[in-house]
Amino acid sequence: MYNYYLTIVLAPLAAAIVAGLSGKQLRRAGAHWITILAVGLSFALSVFVLKHQVIDGGAVDNFYVYTWAVTDGLRMEVGFLVDRLTALMMVVVTFVSLMVHIYTIGYMRDDPGYERFFSYISLFTFSMLMLVMSNNFLQLFFGWEAVGLVSYLLIGFWYKRETAIVANLKAFLVNRVGDFGFILGIAAIVFMTNSLDYATVFASAESIAAQDIEVISGSPWNAMTVICILLFIGAMGKSAQAPLHVWLPDSMEGPTPISALIHAATMVTAGIFMVARMSPLYELSETALAVVIIIGAITAFFMGLVGIVQNDIKRVIAYSTLSQLGYMTVALGASAYSAAIFHLMTHAFFKALLFLAAGSVIIAMHHEQDIRKMGGIRKYMPITYWTALVGTLALIGFPGSSGFFSKDLLIEAVRDSHWHGQGAVYWIAYLSVLLGVFVTALYSFRLFFLVFHGEERMDDEIKSHLRETPWVITVPLVMLAVPSAIIGWYTVQPVLFGNYFGDAIAVAGNHDVLAKIGAGWHGSLSLVQHAVQTPVFWLAAGGALTAWFLYVKRPDIPATIKDKLSGLYNLLDRKYYFDDLYIKGFAAGGRAIGRTLSEKGDQFLIDGILVNGTANAVSRLAGVMRQLQTGYLYTYAFAMIIGLTMLLGWLIWLR
């Protein structure tokens, strides 16, 4: 298995290097074939690893392949931890990446940066694989920063666009805030354990939880709470949780294939995976879990509301990602780690499907992205229509879809979690994920109806060329639609109730809500049959029907609502003014402080007084002293007599 793991990781890296450095010699076909074959090989081997772990009952592999440095007993190494959690993530990452690679052939067909793009997305796959397969915090941090770097390159791929450069800089800076907390958390772990190895740190978890750290002198904090919150700040950046969420909608400035890869299988899932992997630590801090569940709840509900007023087809889906990541984070805070990873898996399929379907529409519409200029596309693009419908139904949790199983049971886990009966934390979390169901269905079907149904609002030039996209685009849509529709049926029982993850995820006995739900589990079919008895079903149905009424039956009403509720609309349209706070507040404030320090501190105090002032004083003194140099002998003799008299007077005074 050792060679399999190395091949899975290194194949995309090798392809990225070859395509990036030799792309012009390989030409377009060579660049896409070498990267697709490499990622395809990684996917095939990942499936084999999953089979080995799950079906064959293979042992967990935890080993090191390279020692980078050893200092004061601290070993910095590269190694792999491959268990069922890792194997699941490997399959998800490589499958979605493979579909994106194939899709890119059609989407980026005429782009001058074709070879460069394939190199970047293959490098993105390598970075995420290094992250999920790591068995130590050093390698985790390497993968963590590598996905951030490649996302920066891809968001700003069209670097001649000012908006793309602003977007990738925004993503870079916001993630630096999160990563600062993340590296402080790793530093605290090293301080407490003198180790970067997962197994060693997890074995020391009880000892860490029994100690305090004085973050502020005289105010001791539990060491485990500090570590977990710092690590979660990193997750807030990568997985775009409020208030570090602002970069994700702007990442839509990159080409659509990378939007699918970032939102479905790589960067934004890194934070969710990391917290699940660190479950042995989080289970020992109730305070950290409370922070996680509250942040997730706020993101799930309030970011979904913003999606209702967006008109860019990709931004609507982007705010959907923010909301769904909030759902996963809430599950983590409820100690339902398996439910969070299960929703991560199903979400990867239907979110990649939705983004790629949006890209198919954008190509057909000659890169028009405003849904107000679409409508009635269903008859022109039947494959895109039906696959988008599958993705939309999965997103809202339609009974029987993959999203239904993951979202319904996630909400049930939050409802029955150990937070039940503990006041505000419970009600904020539960009501947020519950009401979020209605919001999700509303913005999802608003998008679907405005794009595919109703009157045709595009101009005649676009309409004359409107047709289904080529097979390199539609085949990945169909391939992603299949798991989006059916994978929940086959995976819900083993992943949530069959101890699928084993020791990869640790849950305290009094936190094990999935065990409680599993005791009443009667199978997937029974869950679907009883779906109509749950508030989740009726909220989703209510959201979909509301969207139909407002955007198909009575499309005149939304404008009236906008006028009547202009204050609320502006609040949502301005995204709760987070951008204004960061750009006009923090960024502008920082620049103002810099200007003040430059003008008053540097130019006036340092240059004007200390440097130039000293020089000017010496110059003036020299001008005065120069007057004493008359050239007459009697002047010098007089000065010598005065000096001698003063010297004698000083000596007499000393006696």
Side-chain angles (χ1 to χ4, degrees):
M1 298 300 292
Y2 177 89
N3 291 328
Y4 289 148
Y5 301 145
L6 288 178
T7 303
I8 290 170
V9 170
L10 296 180
L13 175 62
I17 293 172
V18 172
L21 298 181
S22 307
K24 297 303 180 184
Q25 290 74 30
L26 290 171
R27 297 185 182 275
R28 292 181 170 233
H32 71 234
W33 274 114
I34 192 170
T35 52
I36 288 173
L37 289 174
V39 174
L41 176 62
S42 293
F43 169 63
L45 293 178
S46 296
V47 172
F48 175 77
V49 170
L50 184 66
K51 171 186 173 296
H52 174 71
Q53 286 284 327
V54 178
I55 298 177
D56 301 339
V60 172
D61 288 318
N62 186 4
F63 60 93
Y64 286 96
V65 297
Y66 175 71
T67 300
W68 180 47
V70 179
T71 174
D72 292 333
L74 178 65
R75 301 183 66 86
M76 302 180 186
E77 299 170 297
V78 175
F80 297 125
L81 170 59
V82 181
D83 51 21
R84 291 186 174 190
L85 173 58
T86 307
L88 177 64
M89 291 297 298
M90 288 162 61
V91 171
V92 170
V93 170
T94 53
F95 176 72
V96 173
S97 179
L98 179 60
M99 295 301 102
V100 169
H101 274 70
I102 296 171
Y103 179 94
T104 298
I105 296 174
Y107 193 89
M108 302 292 288
R109 180 181 58 191
D110 301 321
D111 196 283
Y114 189 86
E115 298 89 347
R116 179 165 58 95
F117 190 83
F118 273 98
S119 175
Y120 285 173
I121 58 176
S122 189
L123 185 62
F124 211 166
T125 307
F126 157 75
S127 302
M128 190 64 185
L129 287 171
M130 285 292 285
L131 189 155
V132 300
M133 294 175 69
S134 63
N135 68 349
N136 64 89
F137 286 95
L138 177 68
Q139 187 173 327
L140 174 69
F141 188 72
F142 167 79
W144 195 266
E145 293 303 307
V147 294
L149 168 64
V150 184
S151 69
Y152 171 83
L153 296 173
L154 284 163
I155 294 169
F157 182 80
W158 287 321
Y159 56 86
K160 293 184 179 180
R161 297 182 182 178
E162 184 179 354
T163 53
I165 297 304
V166 171
N168 74 350
L169 180 61
K170 189 176 185 179
F172 183 83
L173 293 176
V174 172
N175 272 276
R176 294 292 69 73
V177 175
D179 292 352
F180 181 66
F182 188 62
I183 198 169
L184 285 178
I186 295 175
I189 287 172
V190 173
F191 174 75
M192 302 297 295
T193 66
N194 196 40
S195 177
L196 290 163
D197 179 71
Y198 288 167
T200 303
V201 173
F202 294 162
S204 305
E206 295 283 355
S207 173
I208 297 172
Q211 300 179 57
D212 289 335
I213 294 178
E214 287 194 6
V215 179
I216 301 173
S217 181
S219 300
W221 281 56
N222 179 264
M224 186 61 76
T225 296
V226 172
I227 288 171
C228 289
I229 290 177
L230 288 172
L231 293 177
F232 181 64
I233 291 172
M236 288 168 63
K238 279 291 180 288
S239 293
Q241 297 297 288
L244 300 182
H245 66 283
V246 293
W247 68 270
L248 191 60
D250 286 6
S251 70
M252 298 302 98
E253 291 296 333
T256 298
I258 195 52
S259 299
L261 198 55
I262 288 177
H263 287 244
T266 52
M267 186 157 166
V268 299
T269 62
I272 306 300
F273 166 80
M274 184 275 292
V275 175
R277 175 62 82 191
M278 298 300 129
S279 58
L281 306 182
Y282 279 87
E283 284 301 285
L284 297 176
S285 175
E286 288 288 315
T287 303
L289 288 176
V291 171
V292 171
I293 199 170
I294 291 297
I295 293 294
I298 292 171
T299 306
F301 181 67
F302 289 100
M303 294 305 111
L305 288 175
V306 178
I308 297 173
V309 302
Q310 297 299 304
N311 295 310
D312 183 300
I313 186 171
K314 288 170 63 177
R315 284 182 181 265
V316 176
I317 305 174
Y319 277 99
S320 158
T321 301
L322 284 172
S323 181
Q324 297 308 303
L325 288 168
Y327 274 84
M328 299 174 210
T329 304
V330 169
L332 295 172
S335 295
Y337 304 98
S338 298
I341 296 298
F342 184 46
H343 194 50
L344 182 156
M345 177 191 72
T346 62
H347 175 264
F349 297 127
F350 62 72
K351 186 50 59 67
L353 171 59
L354 286 171
F355 266 114
L356 297 188
S360 179
V361 171
I362 291 169
I363 293 174
M365 292 287 296
H366 292 195
H367 293 276
E368 176 60 64
Q369 297 184 198
D370 192 333
I371 58 178
R372 294 169 296 184
K373 298 178 181 179
M374 300 180 186
I377 294 179
R378 174 181 57 173
K379 64 182 179 182
Y380 300 101
M381 307 179 69
I383 298 175
T384 300
Y385 171 79
W386 287 109
T387 53
L389 178 60
V390 170
T392 302
L393 292 174
L395 175 59
I396 72 166
F398 184 80
S401 67
S402 62
F404 162 76
F405 292 106
S406 60
K407 183 184 284 188
D408 191 87
L409 290 168
L410 186 155
I411 294 172
E412 192 172 340
V414 174
R415 183 194 66 195
D416 296 337
S417 70
H418 66 280
W419 294 109
H420 184 75
Q422 296 195 37
V425 172
Y426 172 76
W427 286 111
I428 291 172
Y430 181 55
L431 290 178
S432 292
V433 295
L434 195 61
L435 295 176
V437 173
F438 176 86
V439 174
T440 301
L442 178 57
Y443 65 66
S444 298
F445 271 99
R446 171 181 178 264
L447 172 69
F448 186 77
F449 290 138
L450 286 176
V451 172
F452 294 104
H453 290 267
E455 62 175 320
E456 299 173 0
R457 297 179 296 277
M458 69 287 291
D459 60 44
D460 293 336
E461 175 64 21
I462 291 178
K463 190 185 300 184
S464 65
H465 296 94
L466 196 57
R467 60 180 60 86
E468 187 61 86
T469 44
W471 70 267
V472 289
I473 290 178
T474 56
V475 167
L477 295 183
V478 174
M479 294 292 289
L480 286 165
V482 173
S484 297
I486 67 173
I487 199 169
W489 289 90
Y490 304 101
T491 55
V492 58
Q493 196 280 329
V495 172
L496 292 189
F497 309 121
N499 193 32
Y500 168 85
F501 293 109
D503 294 333
I505 289 176
V507 182
N510 62 327
H511 289 182
D512 198 355
V513 62
L514 292 177
K516 185 193 308 183
I517 297 173
W521 175 253
H522 299 295
S524 302
L525 183 60
S526 176
L527 185 65
V528 174
Q529 290 173 338
H530 292 87
V532 295
Q533 300 176 12
T534 66
V536 175
F537 172 81
W538 292 109
L539 285 168
L545 288 172
T546 301
W548 171 82
F549 181 76
L550 292 177
Y551 299 101
V552 177
K553 183 70 174 177
R554 292 290 306 277
D556 57 300
I557 293 180
T560 303
I561 295 175
K562 177 182 174 181
D563 291 337
K564 296 291 186 182
L565 301 175
S566 59
L568 177 60
Y569 176 86
N570 290 331
L571 178 66
L572 297 177
D573 188 50
R574 297 296 294 272
K575 296 162 279 191
Y576 305 111
Y577 297 94
F578 274 108
D579 283 339
D580 292 326
L581 173 63
Y582 294 155
I583 295 172
K584 297 179 181 179
F586 295 149
R591 290 194 298 271
I593 292 172
R595 282 194 302 271
T596 301
L597 291 175
S598 174
E599 294 171 1
K600 304 299 183 183
D602 189 20
Q603 297 175 31
F604 176 73
L605 178 61
I606 297 175
D607 288 344
I609 296 178
L610 298 180
V611 178
N612 295 330
T614 303
N616 292 333
V618 170
S619 177
R620 285 193 293 270
L621 178 62
V624 173
M625 297 298 293
R626 187 183 58 177
Q627 301 302 319
L628 301 176
Q629 306 299 318
T630 64
Y632 295 113
L633 182 61
Y634 65 81
T635 303
Y636 301 139
F638 179 73
M640 292 172 64
I641 293 170
I642 294 298
L644 182 60
T645 302
M646 292 176 64
L647 177 62
L648 289 173
W650 180 66
L651 291 174
I652 294 170
W653 181 78
L654 286 177
R655 294 185 63 185

